[in-house]
Amino acid sequence: MKLLQVRILVEDFQKSVAFYRDQLKLKVDWYEESMDYALFDTGAARIELMSRKAMSESLGEDLGPTLPYATNFLLNIEVENLDAAYARLREHGVHFVKEPFLNPLWNGQFAYLRDLDGTLIELYQAAQKEGEAHV
């Protein structure tokens, strides 16, 4: 088995697509408005968005609304330069839960934000090896 992608069930499909596309600047691979479905290519893995309504209809089961800021999982996105990514995202109106910080135990620098449905997103930059410089 291999992980193909992560599907996030969202309340407002249009606003969520705009957040991932326009604010996070992820590349849209497939967009189907009639299905309330979007697929984003992030390089190593992909992220899908689907409305809770569309998924409920597909399952034949009411999934109900999510609780505000319920956290069952997080998206971990690696960036080359966390400070630059942080600055760019802030310019695009992204609110951060926790600003960039160094965690030597986890061997990197991290920052946290949430999408419009409360999904926790971790931005990660690997710690530089001695003598290595970021471009």
Side-chain angles (χ1 to χ4, degrees):
M1 280 193 263
K2 72 174 188 173
L3 177 65
L4 180 61
Q5 54 229 11
V6 174
R7 180 174 300 155
I8 302 170
L9 304 179
V10 299
E11 294 298 327
D12 188 321
F13 178 72
Q14 297 295 337
K15 285 183 180 177
S16 294
V17 167
F19 177 82
Y20 282 86
R21 181 192 60 218
D22 302 337
Q23 291 183 284
L24 294 186
K25 298 294 185 189
L26 297 182
K27 179 182 173 264
V28 178
D29 266 0
W30 184 16
Y31 178 85
E32 186 59 54
E33 190 169 340
S34 66
M35 291 173 36
D36 281 353
Y37 178 85
L39 178 67
F40 295 87
D41 185 355
T42 64
R46 298 182 298 181
I47 297 170
E48 297 177 303
L49 298 183
M50 180 177 263
S51 72
R52 294 182 71 75
K53 179 180 179 278
M55 191 69 218
S56 291
E57 289 170 359
S58 177
L59 281 175
E61 176 181 315
D62 184 10
L63 295 175
T66 58
L67 298 173
Y69 298 113
T71 301
N72 298 353
F73 72 95
L74 65 81
L75 293 176
N76 176 282
I77 299 175
E78 185 174 14
V79 296
E80 288 184 33
N81 183 320
L82 184 61
D83 293 329
Y86 174 78
R88 180 180 57 78
L89 292 171
R90 293 279 310 231
E91 286 175 10
H92 285 50
V94 173
H95 171 74
F96 279 78
V97 175
K98 187 164 184 173
E99 296 178 353
F101 68 98
L102 179 64
N103 186 333
L105 293 175
W106 290 2
N107 196 35
Q109 190 177 6
F110 300 84
Y112 294 93
L113 60 125
R114 290 188 184 273
D115 73 5
L116 302 176
D117 289 280
T119 303
L120 189 60
I121 299 171
E122 175 183 84
L123 298 182
Y124 161 75
Q125 176 187 326
Q128 293 182 31
K129 295 179 182 150
E130 193 132 342
E132 184 179 66
H134 279 287
V135 179

